Short mmCIF file of all heavy atoms in Angstrom, two decimals:
data_model
loop_
_atom_site.label_atom_id
_atom_site.label_comp_id
_atom_site.label_asym_id
_atom_site.label_seq_id
_atom_site.Cartn_x
_atom_site.Cartn_y
_atom_site.Cartn_z
N GLY D 167 110.73 90.22 54.01
CA GLY D 167 111.90 89.51 54.43
C GLY D 167 113.13 90.53 54.73
O GLY D 167 114.01 90.07 55.49
N LEU D 168 113.03 91.65 54.13
CA LEU D 168 114.07 92.60 54.44
C LEU D 168 113.94 93.15 55.96
O LEU D 168 112.85 93.02 56.48
CB LEU D 168 113.90 93.86 53.69
CG LEU D 168 114.55 93.81 52.19
CD1 LEU D 168 114.40 95.17 51.50
CD2 LEU D 168 115.97 93.49 52.34
N THR D 169 114.92 93.62 56.52
CA THR D 169 114.97 94.13 57.86
C THR D 169 115.62 95.52 57.86
O THR D 169 116.65 95.76 57.15
CB THR D 169 115.80 93.28 58.78
OG1 THR D 169 115.20 91.83 58.79
CG2 THR D 169 115.81 93.75 60.29
N MET D 170 115.02 96.48 58.64
CA MET D 170 115.66 97.71 58.86
C MET D 170 116.08 97.80 60.39
O MET D 170 115.21 97.54 61.30
CB MET D 170 114.67 98.89 58.61
CG MET D 170 115.31 100.30 58.82
SD MET D 170 114.47 101.69 58.06
CE MET D 170 112.98 101.67 59.13
N LEU D 171 117.34 98.03 60.49
CA LEU D 171 117.93 98.26 61.99
C LEU D 171 118.14 99.74 62.27
O LEU D 171 118.73 100.39 61.50
CB LEU D 171 119.16 97.44 62.16
CG LEU D 171 119.09 95.99 61.91
CD1 LEU D 171 120.53 95.41 62.12
CD2 LEU D 171 118.23 95.38 62.82
N ILE D 172 117.65 100.20 63.28
CA ILE D 172 117.92 101.52 63.68
C ILE D 172 118.61 101.63 64.94
O ILE D 172 118.17 101.01 66.00
CB ILE D 172 116.50 102.51 63.79
CG1 ILE D 172 115.88 102.41 62.40
CG2 ILE D 172 116.86 103.77 64.22
CD1 ILE D 172 114.64 103.41 62.47
N HIS D 173 119.82 102.35 65.02
CA HIS D 173 120.58 102.50 66.25
C HIS D 173 120.55 103.92 66.54
O HIS D 173 121.10 104.64 65.81
CB HIS D 173 121.93 101.94 66.18
CG HIS D 173 122.56 101.68 67.44
ND1 HIS D 173 122.81 102.62 68.45
CD2 HIS D 173 122.99 100.51 68.20
CE1 HIS D 173 123.33 102.15 69.54
NE2 HIS D 173 123.49 100.89 69.39
N LEU D 174 120.10 104.27 67.76
CA LEU D 174 119.91 105.78 68.16
C LEU D 174 121.25 106.35 68.62
O LEU D 174 121.23 107.59 68.73
CB LEU D 174 118.79 105.89 69.21
CG LEU D 174 117.41 105.36 68.79
CD1 LEU D 174 116.55 105.34 69.99
CD2 LEU D 174 116.78 106.11 67.65
N ARG D 175 122.16 105.47 68.95
CA ARG D 175 123.50 106.00 69.65
C ARG D 175 123.16 106.97 70.67
O ARG D 175 122.47 106.56 71.68
CB ARG D 175 124.32 106.54 68.42
CG ARG D 175 124.81 105.56 67.48
CD ARG D 175 125.97 104.85 68.00
NE ARG D 175 126.49 103.93 66.96
CZ ARG D 175 127.56 104.32 66.17
NH1 ARG D 175 128.26 105.42 66.40
NH2 ARG D 175 128.11 103.47 65.31
N MET D 176 123.65 108.21 70.48
CA MET D 176 123.49 109.12 71.69
C MET D 176 122.23 109.84 71.69
O MET D 176 121.67 110.00 72.71
CB MET D 176 124.75 110.17 71.66
CG MET D 176 125.92 109.56 71.39
SD MET D 176 127.16 109.65 72.52
CE MET D 176 126.33 110.46 73.88
N SER D 177 121.86 110.40 70.69
CA SER D 177 120.74 111.45 70.65
C SER D 177 119.67 111.12 69.72
O SER D 177 118.86 112.05 69.41
CB SER D 177 121.35 112.92 70.57
OG SER D 177 122.01 112.89 69.27
N GLY D 178 119.62 109.90 69.07
CA GLY D 178 118.61 109.56 68.12
C GLY D 178 117.21 109.57 68.66
O GLY D 178 117.10 109.00 69.88
N ARG D 179 116.32 110.01 67.81
CA ARG D 179 114.90 109.95 68.33
C ARG D 179 114.00 109.43 67.15
O ARG D 179 114.29 109.88 66.01
CB ARG D 179 114.42 111.22 68.84
CG ARG D 179 114.52 111.39 70.38
CD ARG D 179 114.78 112.79 70.86
NE ARG D 179 113.93 113.89 70.22
CZ ARG D 179 114.23 115.18 70.47
NH1 ARG D 179 115.23 115.57 71.20
NH2 ARG D 179 113.46 116.01 69.99
#
Side-chain angles (χ1 to χ4, degrees):
Chain D
L168 276 183
T169 301
M170 179 166 70
L171 301 177
I172 300 184
H173 199 300
L174 304 169
R175 294 278 185 100
M176 319 245 357
S177 60
R179 266 151 46 187

